[in-house]
Amino acid sequence: MGYAAFLERMGQVNDLLNAKSILSWDANTMMPPGGAVTRAKQMATLMGLARDVLVSDETRSLLDKAEGEVSSTPDGSVERTICAQTRDAIDYHLRIPSDLIRKRTELGGLGHDIWAEARKNDDFAAFTPLLEETVALNREMAEHIGYDAHPYDALMYRFEPGETMATLKTLFATLREGLLPLLRKVQGADTPRIDFLQRNYPAQQQLAFGISMARKLGYDLHRGRLDLTVHPFEVSFTRNDVRITTRIVEDWMPGSLFGTLHEAGHGLYEQFADPAFVRTPLATDLIGFYAVSGVSFGAHESQSRLFENQVGRSREFWELNFAEAKAAFPEQLADVDATAFWRGVNRVKPGFIRVEADELTYDFHIMLRVDIEAALVDGSLSVKDLPEAWNAKIKEYLDLDVPNNRLGVLQDVHWSSGQIGTFCNYTIGNVMAGQLFAKAREDAAVADGLARADYTPVREWMTEHVHRHGRRYTRDELLVRATGRTLDPAPYVAHLTQKYSEVYGV
Ligand code: ZN
């Protein structure tokens, strides 16, 4: 009885956060601009209510009773895991003083306009005071949250629990060692044709083709839908309503196509979570306050990157599916074959902007941001020296000279919202995708499916090893169960090396 009452209480937290997600989906797809100010307040109210319910005396007393009731279940049982995770989340939130949360919310509210104006005018000095305040506030947060070795570890906890600067340093060193020489070789080779990707691709046809490919990967339209937005995203309101969005550029066809496959990959994680976990803490991020089944941001990103890049940009995929692309766009692709198309969509072009980066250069944008954020937080880099540090890294990694701060340090929206610690999940997602896909391919049914354009076996493998577990296991527990190892960059580096050696003939 105690456990059931506790679970129902936690269902209310999940309901509030799902309602907040619906407001957020609407704000990013349908809402007229006039609604922005009141909508932000509505969402803040729901999030505040979710927090109040979670840390309330009533919930804590229900949790006490539930813990007593489930203590006889085996170690690691779903019931005990749910209780332990809720206990951790309550402790986490109670460690952070509420005036600090209020300050961060206020800072985030002010930040967007100040950042947008500074970026427009290429005026880093106008953004400096806000960023200095953000860094100071996050440093204070880190002290309250607590950490062993580096204050940045405390800030990453919300997005990538368990990740530390120490492990990231080793990971990044391995990636740089494996990828920089490959990038230099590619930079010295002839570039594949991309002219045919820049022809006119009408929006409706792009949408239809994108969704047909997403369905092929297993994305279920009965429990999903695709809408247009400015910055594409996936959001779920339980596993039974998982929405994705895309942005269409009529003269750059890969943007929407691979964006749709990416978001569909995120969607699969949610759509194929265990139905028994609906409305429970195993479908709720109680630290970051999102109704989500993915166990970390990096784990979630592993599924988007896997279906977008490991499956969707593979040679095998286009040898089997190019005929469909050609049927959808007969004029635009009249003078192209499957190999040319596959090479085109894998073109490498080092650039200044992270969100436009290709698969080979993307991680360098992330390493630079993580190193810079950590240095800001531990005080070894000051905000005023930030542009110089940024530009030096872009030169070192990509051999490019940053012409202005708009194309450099002012490009990302993240810092304007008061958030530090969010970037590592992109690279962790890439690495995990490489690791999971390499393991999945060892399964005969998966390999056979991939060779016949049947993506059900690979989706089922991911559901069996990743999706269905929701938030039950930590990211590393999930990886060990699925692949026998914790995070291991070797398969990812091998994947990029093999692909780009083939695409570029180097
Ligand atoms: Zn993503």
Side-chain angles (χ1 to χ4, degrees):
M1 195 54 224
Y3 180 73
F6 159 71
L7 212 54
E8 179 48 35
R9 182 83 174 169
M10 296 311 293
Q12 292 172 358
V13 174
N14 182 270
D15 292 343
L16 286 164
L17 294 174
N18 272 306
K20 189 202 76 177
S21 293
I22 294 172
L23 293 185
S24 162
W25 172 83
D26 174 76
N28 288 296
T29 52
M30 302 289 167
M31 185 182 77
V37 174
T38 42
R39 179 57 53 87
K41 286 196 168 46
Q42 292 156 355
M43 287 168 54
T45 296
L46 287 175
M47 187 133 138
L49 284 173
R51 184 182 185 279
D52 292 347
V53 173
L54 177 67
V55 303
S56 68
D57 292 343
E58 199 185 334
T59 301
R60 284 148 80 186
S61 113
L62 285 168
L63 175 58
D64 290 342
K65 286 190 199 120
E67 280 172 336
E69 192 182 302
V70 305
S71 62
S72 58
T73 64
D75 194 21
S77 70
V78 165
E79 294 83 356
R80 281 175 68 172
T81 303
I82 284 178
C83 288
Q85 287 188 2
T86 307
R87 175 74 61 195
D88 280 351
I90 292 173
D91 290 347
Y92 174 93
H93 290 296
L94 292 178
R95 287 203 296 277
I96 305 174
S98 45
D99 71 309
L100 213 53
I101 297 174
R102 188 179 41 78
K103 260 197 250 168
R104 191 176 62 186
T105 310
E106 280 171 14
L107 204 64
L110 291 172
H112 190 274
D113 288 355
I114 294 174
W115 163 75
E117 189 69 13
R119 184 171 76 153
K120 197 178 80 189
N121 301 325
D122 186 23
D123 183 2
F124 182 69
F127 188 53
T128 306
L130 186 98
L131 190 52
E132 279 170 346
E133 227 180 302
T134 300
V135 171
L137 194 90
N138 275 279
R139 203 177 300 158
E140 210 182 328
M141 284 261 185
E143 295 306 325
H144 287 288
I145 294 165
Y147 55 88
D148 289 333
H150 197 287
Y152 196 64
D153 301 350
L155 300 176
M156 285 192 287
Y157 187 75
R158 183 170 164 189
F159 309 99
E160 205 59 34
E163 195 51 65
T164 65
M165 254 338 264
T167 48
L168 281 181
K169 270 207 170 79
T170 315
L171 175 71
F172 288 177
T174 310
L175 289 178
R176 278 194 294 264
E177 202 182 297
L179 301 184
L180 261 183
L182 178 64
L183 177 59
R184 293 294 175 263
K185 272 198 244 169
V186 162
Q187 280 174 303
D190 289 342
T191 276
R193 263 183 82 185
I194 56 155
D195 59 295
F196 55 88
L197 299 170
Q198 296 168 315
R199 293 171 180 161
N200 185 269
Y201 289 83
Q204 280 313 317
Q205 278 140 271
Q206 283 200 50
L207 275 173
F209 184 62
I211 201 70
S212 79
M213 289 292 127
R215 287 181 69 184
K216 219 174 233 230
L217 298 180
Y219 179 69
D220 177 3
L221 274 181
H222 179 65
R223 299 184 290 134
R225 56 178 285 138
L226 173 69
D227 291 276
L228 292 173
T229 189
V230 182
H231 303 288
F233 63 95
E234 171 272 338
V235 66
S236 64
F237 325 128
T238 83
R239 75 192 290 282
N240 298 316
D241 185 352
V242 179
R243 305 190 189 184
I244 59 174
T245 61
T246 191
R247 174 181 45 197
I248 303 278
V249 179
E250 294 208 323
D251 61 2
W252 182 243
M253 183 264 218
S256 170
L257 172 61
F258 291 100
T260 301
L261 299 188
H262 179 98
E263 301 309 333
H266 279 300
L268 293 175
Y269 204 151
E270 299 297 320
Q271 287 189 329
F272 291 97
D274 188 332
F277 295 166
V278 169
R279 290 183 79 241
T280 74
L282 299 184
T284 320
D285 174 359
L286 294 172
I287 300 290
F289 283 124
Y290 290 102
V292 66
S293 296
V295 70
S296 74
F297 281 54
H300 227 295
E301 199 64 17
S302 81
Q303 295 306 294
S304 57
R305 302 280 167 153
L306 189 143
F307 286 98
E308 174 196 357
N309 289 333
Q310 301 277 342
V311 178
R313 282 186 212 261
S314 66
R315 182 170 210 159
E316 195 175 34
F317 187 88
W318 288 109
E319 276 166 0
L320 296 163
N321 292 296
F322 183 68
E324 259 179 73
K326 205 157 176 161
F329 306 108
E331 284 164 33
Q332 295 90 332
L333 297 175
D335 58 343
V336 187
D337 64 13
T339 304
F341 186 83
W342 164 73
R343 292 187 74 211
V345 300
N346 282 296
R347 192 217 18 189
V348 173
K349 188 166 192 287
F352 300 109
I353 303 293
R354 173 183 61 88
V355 296
E356 294 168 6
D358 52 74
E359 214 183 333
L360 182 53
T361 56
Y362 197 94
D363 296 306
F364 292 101
H365 291 273
I366 297 306
M367 292 187 244
L368 136 92
R369 281 159 178 77
V370 170
D371 286 342
I372 277 179
E373 282 193 334
L376 287 172
V377 170
D378 72 20
S380 58
L381 175 68
S382 68
V383 168
K384 69 170 175 26
D385 297 328
L386 183 50
E388 207 183 315
W390 182 288
N391 299 349
K393 284 281 181 198
I394 291 287
K395 183 73 186 168
E396 181 192 337
Y397 292 158
L398 304 181
D399 196 23
L400 296 172
D401 296 298
V402 179
N404 58 55
N405 289 323
R406 241 179 336 177
L407 292 172
V409 71
L410 284 174
Q411 68 183 271
D412 294 308
V413 69
H414 302 57
W415 293 335
S416 75
S417 69
Q419 306 284 11
I420 289 184
T422 63
F423 284 109
C424 71
N425 65 82
Y426 297 108
T427 286
I428 287 172
N430 285 334
V431 171
M432 270 183 87
Q435 193 175 343
L436 289 167
F437 192 63
K439 189 70 191 175
R441 294 198 68 139
E442 291 175 12
D443 184 300
V446 172
D448 178 59
L450 292 169
R452 290 184 291 113
D454 175 4
Y455 303 100
T456 302
V458 66
R459 199 276 301 154
E460 282 174 348
W461 194 95
M462 292 301 150
T463 295
E464 173 64 22
H465 293 91
V466 182
H467 308 152
R468 73 185 173 97
H469 300 298
R471 302 177 63 82
R472 179 169 182 186
Y473 302 113
T474 66
R475 182 199 77 200
D476 281 349
E477 283 168 355
L478 205 64
L479 274 172
V480 169
R481 292 171 66 93
T483 71
R485 311 175 66 100
T486 56
L487 199 64
D488 172 14
Y492 175 57
V493 171
H495 151 78
L496 290 176
T497 305
Q498 200 209 330
K499 169 150 71 179
Y500 288 107
S501 306
E502 258 188 82
V503 171
Y504 279 83
V506 293

